[in-house]
Amino acid sequence: MRVCIATQYFCSLLMGFMIKKSLKNTILINLGAFLLVLILELLGGWMLVDKYDTLYSFYLWGLGYTISIMTVIWINHFVLIPYLFDRKKYVLYGFLLIGAIFLGVSIKIYPKFSWIGITKMSSFLIYTTGTGMAAFFLRRSALMQRQKEEKEKLQQELELNYLKEQVNPHFLFNSLNSIYALSRQQSKETPEVVMQLSELMRYQLESAKKDFVSLKEELEFIENYLLLEEKRLSKRCAIEFLIEGESSNYKIAPMLLIPFVENAVKHGAQATNAQSTIDVNVSIKNSTLHVHVVNSKHNVASQSTRMGTGLENVQRRLNLLYPNAHVLKINDTETAYHVNLTINITD
């Protein structure tokens, strides 16, 4: 039993070698494993020390066991498993593993060969080798699972960064269109709108560096954007923005809500010269954020395709950031376009 414990410790140390793969670490780890098994063998047999003539012969006995155990483990883990077992050469692996076990037996009982000694030592090494392999494969499986999760997490972070970078120029493009429209009208509010856009872009650039931002700041950003659009659209669009609940204690992924508002402007008021409406209602209750965006539709607007780059990106970001914590429902009718989004947000 004591050797089984030592073998398991060795397997854990061996996995460290598989991660770092440096010669220096390999040598140090295996020297440490050898000493650990030797110490455990000596401690396990200390009750029998009186049966030996000298302490030297007792230490030689422990050293013999350690060498035989470690020989089989090293051959199995460094040669047989990577070059045969992992390549599905199971028959050849089995024969050579038996050979390695008999080599370990020979090292231990040399020069006093006997069937009893061979049988006892073979059974002992088979048991310890099997225990070591079980620990080895369990540890390796856990390591591979951890590496897979880290790879998936890295891939998710790269994808989120890519989507975030796409949202930024998309928002800037729409905002510049608004300023262009005002400049063509020779509106006196154009300089003020340019300053508003400057503030919006400053927030956008700062928030792009963060994974999460204050929900209050994000809603203020949306409010300022709607004020900008209200000036551009003049009197032909009635915009309502309502917030219920306390937003300062919660955080949300940056630029996650603005695409829904942009789409309401682009495919609602911007798509027609007729009178239109945009209503944005936000409620926060018990760590649950509910956003309802609705805009009126006209014949020209209803013929356009609603799913643009912004909405595609935000839907993908929602799936990555809040995979089991959001519900998005879109209802496209003849007279209005409704977006209902519910998210479980963090404090």
Side-chain angles (χ1 to χ4, degrees):
M1 182 62 67
R2 62 182 185 279
V3 181
C4 295
I5 296 173
T7 305
Q8 292 173 11
Y9 269 98
F10 169 76
C11 292
S12 299
L13 294 172
L14 183 62
M15 293 310 298
F17 155 75
M18 294 175 64
I19 298 172
K20 298 182 179 180
K21 294 183 179 179
S22 90
L23 181 60
K24 180 180 178 180
N25 286 330
T26 304
I27 295 173
L28 291 176
I29 287 170
N30 284 278
L31 282 176
F34 186 91
L35 291 174
L36 178 62
V37 174
L38 176 60
I39 291 170
L40 290 175
E41 281 295 330
L42 294 174
L43 291 176
W46 192 257
M47 297 295 294
L48 305 175
V49 68
D50 293 336
K51 293 184 177 181
Y52 295 87
D53 297 333
T54 62
L55 277 177
Y56 178 74
S57 60
F58 171 70
Y59 291 145
L60 284 180
W61 168 84
L63 183 63
Y65 262 108
T66 302
I67 292 174
S68 62
I69 292 168
M70 296 305 295
T71 297
V72 177
I73 288 176
W74 282 332
I75 292 174
N76 189 30
H77 290 183
F78 287 104
V79 180
L80 300 184
I81 290 178
Y83 292 102
L84 296 177
F85 188 89
D86 288 343
R87 297 180 182 181
K88 299 182 179 181
K89 298 179 181 179
Y90 301 126
V91 176
L92 182 58
Y93 168 79
F95 280 117
L96 292 180
L97 180 59
I98 293 172
I101 290 173
F102 277 108
L103 176 62
V105 171
S106 300
I107 293 173
K108 177 61 184 71
I109 66 176
Y110 178 83
K112 299 178 181 180
F113 290 98
S114 66
W115 284 112
I116 296 178
I118 292 174
T119 302
K120 287 183 177 180
M121 194 60 194
S122 297
S123 301
F124 179 72
L125 287 181
I126 290 172
Y127 178 69
T128 56
T129 302
T131 304
M133 286 182 64
F136 176 85
F137 284 117
L138 285 173
R139 181 68 175 170
R140 187 166 73 170
S141 176
L143 175 65
M144 292 175 65
Q145 181 64 28
R146 191 182 310 119
Q147 290 175 338
K148 180 182 178 182
E149 291 174 355
E150 290 176 354
K151 183 179 179 181
E152 290 176 350
K153 182 179 179 182
L154 177 61
Q155 182 64 31
Q156 187 181 80
E157 289 175 354
L158 291 174
E159 187 172 356
L160 282 172
N161 289 333
Y162 171 74
L163 292 173
K164 195 185 294 183
E165 289 170 1
Q166 281 190 316
V167 171
N168 290 346
H170 184 266
F171 172 77
L172 177 61
F173 177 76
N174 289 341
S175 300
L176 289 175
N177 277 344
S178 299
I179 293 177
Y180 174 71
L182 283 173
S183 64
R184 290 200 59 178
Q185 298 169 11
Q186 296 183 346
S187 172
K188 295 180 180 180
E189 294 182 329
T190 302
E192 182 182 349
V193 171
V194 171
M195 288 301 298
Q196 284 183 322
L197 177 61
S198 173
E199 293 299 320
L200 291 174
M201 292 306 301
R202 179 179 291 108
Y203 170 78
Q204 187 186 37
L205 292 173
E206 291 175 355
S207 66
K209 302 174 184 178
K210 305 174 183 178
D211 293 329
F212 292 92
V213 296
S214 167
L215 177 60
K216 182 179 180 180
E217 292 179 352
E218 190 73 5
L219 294 178
E220 288 176 351
F221 172 79
I222 293 174
E223 183 178 19
N224 291 331
Y225 170 76
L226 288 173
L227 289 173
L228 183 152
E229 289 297 333
E230 193 173 34
K231 292 177 181 178
R232 179 178 70 86
L233 296 171
S234 187
K235 297 181 180 180
R236 62 187 177 88
C237 180
I239 299 177
E240 294 289 339
F241 183 59
L242 178 63
I243 301 175
E244 296 180 1
E246 180 58 48
S247 60
S248 59
N249 297 327
Y250 298 99
K251 294 185 179 297
I252 193 172
M255 304 298 292
L256 191 65
L257 306 178
I258 189 66
F260 298 115
V261 180
E262 284 184 292
N263 260 37
V265 174
K266 181 178 179 181
H267 297 284
Q270 189 174 314
T272 179
N273 291 322
Q275 189 67 27
S276 59
T277 61
I278 297 174
D279 292 324
V280 180
N281 293 288
V282 179
S283 65
I284 307 103
K285 186 178 181 180
N286 298 328
S287 299
T288 299
L289 169 68
H290 179 71
V291 180
H292 181 213
V293 181
V294 57
N295 65 271
S296 59
K297 285 175 54 179
H298 301 274
N299 292 333
V300 175
S302 62
Q303 295 174 0
S304 64
T305 302
R306 288 301 304 256
M307 186 60 70
T309 303
L311 275 187
E312 290 177 352
N313 285 348
V314 76
Q315 285 187 325
R316 183 61 182 151
R317 289 183 71 199
L318 281 168
N319 292 333
L320 291 170
L321 290 167
Y322 305 95
N324 300 309
H326 83 278
V327 177
L328 175 62
K329 295 181 179 179
I330 297 177
N331 185 22
D332 191 1
T333 68
E334 292 184 1
T335 58
Y337 191 87
H338 297 261
V339 173
N340 283 283
L341 173 63
T342 303
I343 308 176
N344 292 330
I345 50 180
T346 57
D347 52 19

